[in-house]
Amino acid sequence: MQTISDQMIELPIEAFGMSNDVKIKEIVDGLVHRTYLVTDDRIKYILQRVNTYVFKQADQVISNIQKVTAHLQKDHSFTLQVPQLKQSIDGKLSHTGPEGDLWRCFIYIDGSTLDHLDHLEGAKEVASAFGQFSAALSSLSPDSLYYTIRGFHNPKDRLDQFNFALKNGKSDRISVSGEQIDFIKEHQYIADKINNLKLPLKITHNDPKLSNVLFNGNQKPCAIIDLDTVMPGTPLNDFGDLVRSMSASVPEDHANISEVFIKKDIYQALEEGFREGTGETLNLQESANLSLGPAYIIYEQAMRFLTDYLLGDIYYRIQSPEHNLIRSKNQIALLQSFIVRILND
Ligand code: GN1
Ligand code: MG
């Protein structure tokens, strides 16, 4: 065990066969897990404590990752590097600590994430990489994967959670969020539209944002990471989250909403890249309705942040009491811009 002193988190170094002489650095990124870069005699690993509040069935997450990575590794047309789990000394792909804390360890991929990317060619390459990921997994049956988070991008489930928060949330927070609550109610038609399409289930990444892509020294995508939410879904949602995260003018928690808008040229580059990457695996119905993906995902994210705010910040990590409300207002502004600049254009 090694302890990170300021947080008193014990890292199960020995359980993954590393020496007691490792270097540890916390990677503060992502809103869900705790992530550490561990260097053992110049070999690097990514050690993560899985958030079992978010992922209730962590063994199913590990099982999905194992199936998906094995499938991608066999597919020689998939040119990106594939994350690989390191076995524990017990021969397992995860380790449970004394307090039921669940850990897993990836072999480090030599690459880095980018905070922002706003040149068109880069945006196209990222979208194409996620498209290729989707295309490569089109030959793996969606039935072979677990739903690692129930109803993750299911419009009905998200609306149920929102309505639950309206009934059971903190009354002071409900009263200051009237405008946002009304907006969510008035835009439910977006959720209904995508629901009514009855799109076929396919394997999707479900968190395809810029920070889940590793870039090599030439600034080209070299790996897609964060496979926790790879499960059955629709490619429209993957395209949606790409647009949400990459074509926004500012980060998702930027408080000055007058500066929030969709960059149309980036949107177009993402669309081109995603269509190129998915190729023939995108069917006609998906292709014709592609722009509904971002509309829904931005709407859903506005609703998720607001739901969490009303319930008292139980899901997303926050840095200030109003963080989730700021995020929700930001996503609402982004959706308004998307409707004007893309959907109704
Ligand atoms: C969470 O932890 P991270 O940053 O990869 C969330 C995504 C949201 C995102 C918003 C499992 O992702 O769905 O889009 O925050 N992941 C989960 O920043 O809920
Ligand atoms: Mg994630």
Side-chain angles (χ1 to χ4, degrees):
M1 291 281 175
Q2 285 236 350
T3 303
I4 297 262
S5 55
D6 55 337
Q7 288 140 348
M8 295 307 287
I9 287 181
E10 293 194 333
L11 307 193
I13 300 300
E14 292 98 349
F16 284 102
M18 293 178 232
S19 73
N20 221 341
D21 193 26
V22 294
K23 283 200 203 87
I24 299 168
K25 185 169 162 251
E26 180 161 14
I27 299 177
V28 188
D29 198 2
L31 304 184
V32 172
H33 304 304
R34 308 296 302 230
T35 304
Y36 304 88
L37 172 65
V38 181
T39 311
D40 183 18
D41 193 20
R42 282 185 297 227
I43 303 179
K44 292 181 182 168
Y45 302 97
I46 294 291
L47 188 61
Q48 277 186 318
R49 189 173 72 172
V50 178
N51 182 329
T52 46
Y53 175 78
V54 173
F55 294 99
K56 311 258 186 244
Q57 306 265 8
D59 51 330
Q60 299 187 348
V61 175
I62 304 286
S63 162
N64 278 9
I65 293 179
Q66 198 182 4
K67 284 191 185 134
V68 165
T69 53
H71 189 84
L72 292 175
Q73 249 145 10
K74 274 190 290 177
D75 182 344
H76 297 299
S77 62
F78 185 72
T79 51
L80 301 168
Q81 290 181 68
V82 180
Q84 202 189 327
L85 285 165
K86 176 176 168 45
Q87 284 196 347
S88 72
I89 49 174
D90 299 334
K92 297 197 198 126
L93 295 177
S94 63
H95 168 78
T96 306
E99 282 155 29
D101 42 323
L102 192 109
W103 295 81
R104 50 140 183 243
C105 183
F106 286 100
I107 314 282
Y108 178 80
I109 295 177
D110 192 14
S112 45
T113 54
L114 299 178
D115 287 340
H116 66 277
L117 191 166
D118 48 18
H119 60 97
L120 302 183
E121 195 50 33
K124 187 177 163 190
E125 284 163 359
V126 168
S128 172
F130 277 108
Q132 280 174 50
F133 180 87
S134 166
L137 290 173
S138 66
S139 47
L140 179 65
S141 163
D143 294 339
S144 65
L145 298 189
Y146 293 107
Y147 285 84
T148 54
I149 298 180
R150 207 182 62 84
F152 190 56
H153 283 321
N154 183 318
K156 188 181 168 307
D157 285 35
R158 290 297 178 193
L159 281 158
D160 286 351
Q161 287 156 14
F162 174 63
N163 287 320
F164 175 86
L166 291 183
K167 283 205 192 79
N168 304 289
K170 292 178 176 271
S171 51
D172 54 330
R173 288 190 169 196
I174 294 175
S175 61
V176 298
S177 312
E179 218 177 295
Q180 291 71 42
I181 292 170
D182 288 347
F183 182 91
I184 297 295
K185 288 182 179 166
E186 283 156 18
H187 289 75
Q188 196 190 320
Y189 70 91
I190 295 173
D192 295 340
K193 258 190 181 171
I194 199 156
N195 217 14
N196 293 340
L197 288 178
K198 307 258 175 283
L199 296 164
L201 280 179
K202 297 189 169 174
I203 294 176
T204 47
H205 184 280
N206 290 310
D207 196 11
K209 53 189 182 187
L210 182 61
S211 59
N212 284 335
V213 178
L214 296 182
F215 291 83
N216 64 20
N218 298 325
Q219 306 292 294
K220 300 283 180 201
C222 67
I224 285 176
I225 56 170
D226 191 353
L227 307 179
D228 297 329
T229 49
V230 177
M231 58 182 147
T234 162
L236 267 66
N237 290 340
D238 272 0
F239 178 61
D241 233 347
L242 270 170
V243 170
R244 185 187 80 79
S245 58
M246 289 188 62
S247 66
S249 54
V250 287
E252 68 187 11
D253 61 355
H254 188 84
N256 184 351
I257 56 165
S258 67
E259 290 168 5
V260 178
F261 61 92
I262 290 279
K263 298 183 190 165
K264 195 164 182 175
D265 55 349
I266 297 278
Y267 174 83
Q268 285 161 342
L270 292 173
E271 180 178 351
E272 215 179 301
F274 195 72
R275 287 186 187 280
E276 186 184 278
T278 47
E280 288 168 4
T281 64
L282 203 65
N283 74 23
L284 283 178
Q285 188 197 24
E286 291 160 342
S287 177
N289 291 287
L290 200 56
S291 64
L292 202 50
Y296 173 67
I297 286 294
I298 302 168
Y299 172 72
E300 186 198 84
Q301 194 66 65
M303 177 161 58
R304 290 175 66 188
F305 285 143
L306 187 58
T307 301
D308 201 34
Y309 177 69
L310 301 181
L311 291 176
D313 312 313
I314 52 182
Y315 191 93
Y316 292 111
R317 206 184 302 175
I318 52 161
Q319 264 115 43
S320 68
E322 303 302 288
H323 208 157
N324 273 319
L325 182 60
I326 290 170
R327 288 168 173 151
S328 182
K329 287 181 180 172
N330 171 303
Q331 296 296 288
I332 286 174
L334 192 65
L335 179 56
Q336 285 170 322
S337 170
F338 185 81
I339 291 172
V340 173
R341 292 189 165 207
I342 311 287
L343 217 52
N344 293 349
D345 192 42

